[in-house]
Amino acid sequence: MNENKQLPSVVVPWVIMALCLLYGVSPVDIIPDIPIVGQIDDLIIMLSGSLNLAQRYMERADSSLTSIVKVTKWIVIALGAIVILLLALFAVAIVNLFK
């Protein structure tokens, strides 16, 4: 019965990582694939998926290392959201400039 409780905790991070990798190779993006700028969202999503998977496997090893990975994951997600919002604001400003 204990194995059934651990199954979702092991499978879910792998599914999230697979979805992040699928997003990385998918032609559908939040930011179109403009050189450098377009790869930012791919990098952020794949990095957060990798950190999520690493966090799951480090839970058994060391609690301080797990907390560092967890904080790093949330910093990457927060900074990624800020960068994406700033790029969207910049794009809107450029569109309004040339109206």
Side-chain angles (χ1 to χ4, degrees):
M1 191 181 291
N2 192 13
E3 292 176 17
N4 292 337
K5 290 181 180 180
Q6 290 182 352
L7 181 64
S9 67
V10 174
V11 172
V12 172
W14 279 105
V15 170
I16 292 172
M17 185 64 203
L19 291 173
C20 290
L21 289 174
L22 185 64
Y23 178 81
V25 298
S26 170
V28 178
D29 286 331
I30 295 172
I31 301 173
D33 283 334
I34 302 167
I36 298 177
V37 175
Q39 284 79 26
I40 291 174
D41 64 329
D42 296 340
L43 178 69
I44 291 166
I45 289 175
M46 288 192 290
L47 185 60
S48 62
S50 300
L51 287 170
N52 186 45
L53 186 62
Q55 176 188 349
R56 178 60 62 191
Y57 280 100
M58 288 182 187
E59 283 179 349
R60 299 177 190 151
D62 187 11
S63 63
S64 62
L65 189 57
T66 303
S67 62
I68 291 171
V69 171
K70 183 178 179 179
V71 168
T72 305
K73 176 182 74 172
W74 286 109
I75 288 172
V76 165
I77 291 170
L79 288 176
I82 291 169
V83 166
I84 289 171
L85 289 174
L86 285 174
L87 288 173
L89 181 64
F90 183 67
V92 168
I94 288 176
V95 168
N96 285 335
L97 182 67
F98 291 110
K99 266 189 174 179

